[in-house]
Amino acid sequence: MTMQEKQVVDLLKAIETGAAEPVGVINPGKYTQHNLGAADGLKGFGELLAALPKGSAKANTVRVFQDGDLVVAHTDYNFFGPKVGFDIFRFENGKIVEHWDNLQETAGPNPGGHTMVDGPTEIKDLDKTDANKKLVAAFVDDILVNGRMEKLAGYFDGDNYTQHNPQIGDGLSGLGAALKAMAEAGITMKYDTMHKVLGKGDFVLTVSEGKLAGKPTSFYDLFRIENGKIAEHWDTIEAIPAKADWKNQNGKFGF
């Protein structure tokens, strides 16, 4: 673990323990908040924690990786109820100065028996980081943004694909069945913009914006790559509230 990866893990655990020292990694004079339910700055972070029912918070970070000045954490939370979240923190001069996240109520296990957080955690293939980021960016652009479904099979090793989305089974067959069920229920899912691609070794996270059932939505997708193919997927999906309800004006994205 890099020093900054550890600082992020410690900071998130402090939500549970109430420890003050890890919070010192946040720059008190410059902390830009993209969680639209929290006010800007360190004061907003403190107000959010103060609103939690005493003793209710839990934070178990399952995966963490650093890409440049950004650190990604994948965490199993109890934060106003059980949730799974991705957090992204930006460091500047050794301090955290910016934060993005995407939280979804915990659900599952899915038809394949997988939870939203289980599976491999060790990062491998560090020499393949750039190639894996390019592969995932191409997949999201081709399939999720532009719907070039004729290219879908090329990104996978047959039906060898482990899925952690709580509604979808394993393999391309599970994905196909879920998409068919959504279509039959009249539920549309559309990715419009991929805002960020972050990766380390065989893990790559994409941050995208689009619509689910016609409502503005933020999609965070984590992929594990094996031998140049997508082998595993975790995600969180969060509705973007109306601008009138935002507690800061920084927007959900703004990378």
Side-chain angles (χ1 to χ4, degrees):
M1 224 186 269
T2 68
M3 183 178 77
Q4 292 179 338
E5 287 169 354
K6 186 176 188 310
Q7 286 174 319
V8 162
V9 171
D10 291 346
L11 174 63
L12 294 174
K13 182 54 79 171
I15 296 171
E16 176 182 324
T17 63
E21 187 183 348
V23 182
V25 73
I26 296 176
N27 183 334
K30 179 186 179 183
Y31 183 60
T32 304
Q33 177 64 264
H34 295 275
N35 178 320
L36 301 175
D40 215 11
L42 188 55
K43 183 171 180 283
F45 178 73
E47 288 169 350
L48 194 65
L49 297 189
L52 282 163
K54 192 168 177 62
S56 70
K58 294 281 184 289
N60 177 34
T61 298
V62 182
R63 294 170 188 84
V64 62
F65 66 82
Q66 184 165 4
D67 185 345
D69 60 355
L70 298 170
V71 174
V72 173
H74 188 198
T75 302
D76 189 6
Y77 280 114
N78 192 317
F79 192 75
F80 303 103
K83 291 179 176 66
V84 172
F86 288 102
D87 292 88
I88 302 172
F89 295 92
R90 183 170 70 84
F91 281 79
E92 190 177 274
N93 300 320
K95 297 283 187 183
I96 291 173
V97 295
E98 197 162 7
H99 170 252
W100 300 259
D101 66 359
N102 217 51
L103 296 162
Q104 180 178 331
E105 287 188 13
T106 306
N110 68 10
H114 310 295
T115 74
M116 292 177 71
V117 295
D118 66 0
T121 59
E122 182 189 350
I123 294 171
K124 301 175 180 176
D125 300 333
L126 290 176
D127 58 325
K128 296 177 182 170
T129 297
D130 288 343
N132 288 340
K133 285 172 69 175
K134 285 176 185 171
L135 174 80
V136 166
F139 169 77
V140 172
D141 182 66
D142 273 342
I143 306 303
L144 301 177
V145 175
N146 290 299
R148 301 180 185 120
M149 300 307 286
E150 72 279 2
K151 294 189 173 185
L152 181 65
Y155 287 102
F156 298 89
D157 174 20
D159 213 33
N160 298 315
Y161 174 48
T162 303
Q163 176 66 260
H164 294 269
N165 179 297
Q167 310 300 328
I168 304 176
D170 285 343
L172 285 188
S173 52
L175 184 60
L179 293 175
K180 183 170 181 274
M182 284 174 65
E184 287 173 351
I187 301 169
T188 56
M189 184 173 73
K190 176 73 174 76
Y191 282 48
D192 296 320
T193 307
M194 178 171 47
H195 287 280
K196 200 71 179 172
V197 182
L198 298 168
K200 184 174 182 179
D202 54 344
F203 284 93
V204 179
L205 177 78
T206 61
V207 177
S208 306
E209 179 178 4
K211 289 185 173 67
L212 180 63
K215 296 177 181 176
T217 301
S218 172
F219 301 95
Y220 277 46
D221 293 275
L222 180 66
F223 300 90
R224 184 176 64 82
I225 312 304
E226 201 172 277
N227 301 320
K229 302 289 183 181
I230 295 172
E232 199 155 1
H233 171 254
W234 300 258
D235 65 347
T236 60
I237 300 171
E238 185 175 7
I240 301 172
K243 199 165 185 178
D245 297 327
W246 294 6
K247 293 192 177 177
N248 65 68
Q249 296 306 306
N250 300 319
K252 183 78 174 169
F253 306 100
F255 288 94

